[in-house]
């Protein structure tokens, strides 16, 4: 066994290294590897953003330990069946034979293999077997996406029993940790100033530093609002505008109406996404797109829409499809345009050529969102950008603006953070054959939906003044070059917005029906409150604090006594903040 192959594996295996990285290992991989070899730890937790190259880094450590005789066997534990095969393929490139088909019923594997790849669920079903295998030879255990080891208390207990005797344990994760109280096996926790126990990583490499290093792509989020109309089970017809202040129930139903394949909203957004994909392909010829669907029925309907839009079929991958891994692998190696997947973002969809995404699911936990966006950030060469289309929903807007936030696993949380409930993630990733329902029937019937381009979110800023689908204003953003450095993206977005604002000022104002003073003020207050809500999701500042800052910046009385002109000035000010803030 030699470490030569592992030391020369691409930093971004299975693809070539991104521009700017070290010839053998990327800078972060080399730094983390050096730290590991200096410490010689039994347990080591590495947190690195999706797409950074955790597989290459882990296999380099495995090769080194095998070469030195520190370990004699490798066990790789993954969340899914597909990832077992992905790890085995990567390991074979560096001369490490891994059996991805190992079954608990076998007990042992062929002597041709140095180790096995298993799932967390598989270990939990028979921990005594895996403990015996671990005790038989000095073993390195690699935990891929280790937060899954806490998916159930029984899983955590089983993982701990099986691998407590391991000589070395390397834990990897690329997404925020759990919010429940299930401790993750072999992860260290330290008490903070509030008396809460927080997970402690031995080495961290977040999205922000990775973006600065050119290791991952910058992500442009294109948000779409629109008019929704639906009929409730009681027969009431309700209309609402997505992207405006709504009650929780109104927002939930408007969001689901937007994603309904029977309406025009999702079709119009997919048309826009396909136009964006065409533009990206001018610089990245094999660029592909992914639509993340909620359930099997809508996934198939979305695929039919894509066939009508593009004239060619889309690959559909369903969570219970036994051929899912082969479909994913075939799509990754092809130049096909679109893939539609149901809850596969945490089940091994790792296709580096994915550059455009449509977030067509109502799941909004930070963990799920991070996993979804992680499918698009893997950089292969200098300047590649990713574009993700999503509904104008405050929760998603906030998550899009918090791409660089790093979270720890916190035990004994008081109370759970909103949206960080991993039980929701488990429900989101559970197999579903039918649309989301309340009881046994749909909570409403979608009547009409239409999309409107809302804005672009990038690097903490917001750009665009809203425009009709198919308009020149929308095309300004859909037509952004597919190869741009992050600073070029920001510069071009500011330029496009400035040009659009100048063009609007030059246009003669259309005569609008005069509103009564109270109607005009009420309308402006709603607009301002909506913008304050979005700013709250981005910054975490309370609504009252934001209103106070606006009042200090613009002058004038409290909002209840402000004139229409004063409210408009505050609207302009918060929009300015959105475009300037990094």
């Amino acid at each position: 066994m030699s470490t030569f192959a592992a030391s020369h594996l691409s930093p971004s295996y299975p693809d070539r290294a991104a521009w700017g990285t070290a010839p053998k290992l990327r800078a972060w991989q080399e730094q983390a590897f050096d730290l590991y070899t200096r410490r010689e730890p039994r347990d080591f937790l590495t947190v690195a953003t999706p797409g950074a190259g955790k597989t290459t880094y882990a296999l380099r450590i495995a090769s080194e330990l095998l070469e030195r005789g520190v370990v004699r066997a490798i066990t790789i534990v993954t969340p899914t069946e597909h990832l077992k095969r992905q790890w085995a393929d990567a390991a074979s490139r560096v001369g490490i034979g891994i059996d991805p088909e190992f079954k608990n019923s076998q007990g042992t594997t062929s002597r041709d293999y140095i180790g096995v790849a298993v799932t967390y669920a598989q270990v939990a079903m028979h921990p005594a077997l895996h403990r015996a295998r671990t005790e038989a030879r000095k073993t390195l255990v690699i935990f891929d996406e280790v937060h899954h080891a806490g998916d159930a208390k029984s899983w955590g207990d089983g993982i701990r029993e099986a691998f407590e005797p391991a000589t070395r344990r390397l834990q990897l994760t690329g997404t925020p940790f759990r919010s429940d109280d299930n401790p993750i096996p072999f992860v260290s926790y330290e008490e903070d100033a509030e008396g809460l126990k927080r997970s402690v990583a031995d080495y961290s490499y977040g999205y922000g530093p990775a973006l600065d290093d050119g290791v991952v792509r910058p992500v442009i989020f294109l948000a779409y609002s629109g008019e929704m109309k639906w009929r409730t089970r009681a027969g009431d017809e309700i209309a609402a505008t997505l992207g405006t202040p709504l009650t929780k129930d109104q927002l939930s139903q408007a969001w689901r109406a937007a994603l309904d394949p029977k309406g025009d909203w999702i079709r119009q957004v997919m048309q826009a996404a396909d136009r964006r994909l065409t533009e990206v392909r001018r610089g990245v010829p094999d660029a592909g797109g992914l639509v993340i669907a909620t359930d099997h029925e809508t996934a198939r309907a979305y695929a039919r829409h894509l066939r009508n839009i593009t004239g060619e079929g889309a690959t559909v991958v369903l969570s219970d499809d036994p051929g899912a891994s082969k479909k994913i692998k075939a799509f990754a190696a092809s130049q096909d345009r679109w893939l539609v997947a149901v809850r596969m973002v945490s089940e091994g969809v790792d296709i580096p050529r994915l550059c455009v995404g449509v977030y067509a699911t109502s799941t909004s936990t930070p963990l799920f969102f991070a996993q979804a966006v992680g499918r698009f950030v893997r950089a292969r060469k200098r300047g590649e950008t990713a574009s993700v289309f999503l509904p104008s929903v405050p929760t998603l807007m906030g998550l899009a603006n918090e791409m660089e936030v790093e979270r720890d696993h916190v035990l004994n949380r008081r109370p759970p953070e909103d949206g960080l409930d991993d039980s929701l993630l488990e429900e989101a990733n559970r197999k579903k054959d039918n649309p989301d329902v309340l009881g046994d029937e749909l909570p409403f019937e979608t009547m009409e939906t239409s999309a409107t381009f809302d804005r672009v979110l990038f690097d903490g800023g917001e750009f665009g003044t809203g425009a009709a689908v198919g308009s020149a204003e929308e095309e300004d953003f859909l037509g952004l070059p597919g190869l741009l450095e992050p600073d070029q993206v920001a510069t071009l977005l500011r330029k496009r917005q400035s040009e659009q604002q100048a063009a609007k000022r030059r246009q003669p104002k259309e005569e609008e029906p005069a509103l009564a003073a109270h109607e005009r003020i009420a309308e402006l207050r709603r607009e301002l409150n909506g913008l304050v809500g979005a700013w709250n999701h981005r910054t975490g500042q309370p609504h009252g604090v934001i209103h106070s800052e606006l009042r200090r910046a613009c002058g004038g009385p409290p909002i209840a006594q402000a004139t229409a002109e004063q409210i408009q000035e505050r609207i302009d000010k918060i929009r300015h903040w959105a475009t300037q803030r990094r």
Side-chain angles (χ1 to χ4, degrees), residues 293-315:
T294 298
D295 55 70
H296 295 186
E297 184 178 327
T298 56
R300 296 186 181 99
Y302 291 164
R304 289 193 291 272
H305 280 320
L306 287 169
R307 176 177 286 278
N308 292 332
I309 292 167
T310 66
E312 58 185 74
T315 300

Side-chain angles (χ1 to χ4, degrees), residues 176-181 192 194 196-198 364-367 395 399 402 405-425 537 540:
F177 275 172
R178 316 180 62 80
S179 66
D180 56 30
D181 275 352
D192 64 14
E194 299 177 359
L196 303 176
K197 291 186 175 180
R198 292 185 176 273
S364 58
T365 67
L367 182 52
T395 302
L399 293 173
E402 295 170 358
V405 172
E406 296 179 26
R407 295 183 176 90
D408 298 319
H409 183 208
V410 181
L411 299 182
N412 306 318
R413 193 187 302 276
R414 314 181 298 266
E417 291 182 12
D418 183 30
L420 277 170
D421 187 350
D422 288 279
S423 65
L424 297 178
L425 177 67
H537 277 284

Side-chain angles (χ1 to χ4, degrees), residues 310-504:
T310 66
E312 58 185 74
T315 300
V316 179
V317 178
L318 306 178
S319 53
D320 63 347
D321 185 352
S325 290
K326 289 183 179 179
K327 285 185 177 181
I328 292 170
K329 196 169 185 177
F331 182 84
S334 75
Q335 294 209 1
D336 294 348
R337 291 179 75 87
W338 284 100
L339 172 72
V340 183
V342 177
R343 287 170 171 77
M344 295 297 288
V345 292
S346 62
E347 297 178 348
V349 173
D350 191 9
I351 305 168
R353 71 182 185 91
L354 288 177
C355 293
V356 177
V358 178
Y359 194 88
T361 173
S362 56
T363 304
S364 58
T365 67
L367 182 52
F368 188 91
F369 188 84
Q371 288 174 334
V373 176
R375 300 315 96 202
F376 306 97
V377 300
R378 185 187 295 275
R380 298 178 299 171
K381 63 180 181 180
R382 182 177 182 175
E384 287 185 343
T385 60
S387 304
V388 177
F389 290 70
L390 40 74
S392 290
V393 174
T395 302
L396 298 183
M397 301 296 98
L399 293 173
N401 276 316
E402 295 170 358
M403 278 284 291
E404 298 183 20
V405 172
E406 296 179 26
R407 295 183 176 90
D408 298 319
H409 183 208
V410 181
L411 299 182
N412 306 318
R413 193 187 302 276
R414 314 181 298 266
E417 291 182 12
D418 183 30
L420 277 170
D421 187 350
D422 288 279
S423 65
L424 297 178
L425 177 67
E426 291 163 21
E427 169 64 18
N429 283 310
R430 195 172 293 136
K431 172 191 165 185
K432 289 192 178 182
D433 297 307
N434 301 309
D436 289 338
V437 295
L438 294 178
D440 295 322
E441 53 185 315
L442 288 172
F444 62 86
E445 176 190 359
T446 301
M447 297 179 66
E448 298 176 24
T449 66
S450 62
T452 304
F453 173 71
D454 186 3
R455 59 191 129 156
V456 169
L457 298 92
F458 177 72
D459 195 24
E462 297 182 4
F463 308 87
T465 56
V469 168
S471 66
E473 290 84 0
E474 180 199 33
E475 202 61 40
D476 278 346
F477 294 103
L478 294 182
L480 290 169
L483 289 174
L484 288 173
E485 294 294 314
D487 58 337
Q488 293 174 321
V489 174
T491 299
L492 193 51
L493 285 171
R494 292 191 188 99
K495 182 173 182 290
R496 293 282 166 89
Q497 172 151 300
S498 177
E499 290 171 347
Q500 288 186 8
Q501 290 173 332
K504 285 191 174 183

Side-chain angles (χ1 to χ4, degrees), residues 74-89:
I74 308 289
T75 296
I76 300 170
V77 192
T78 76
T80 68
E81 293 290 328
H82 177 76
L83 282 173
K84 291 188 340 184
R85 299 180 185 93
Q86 190 167 289
W87 272 94
D89 289 343

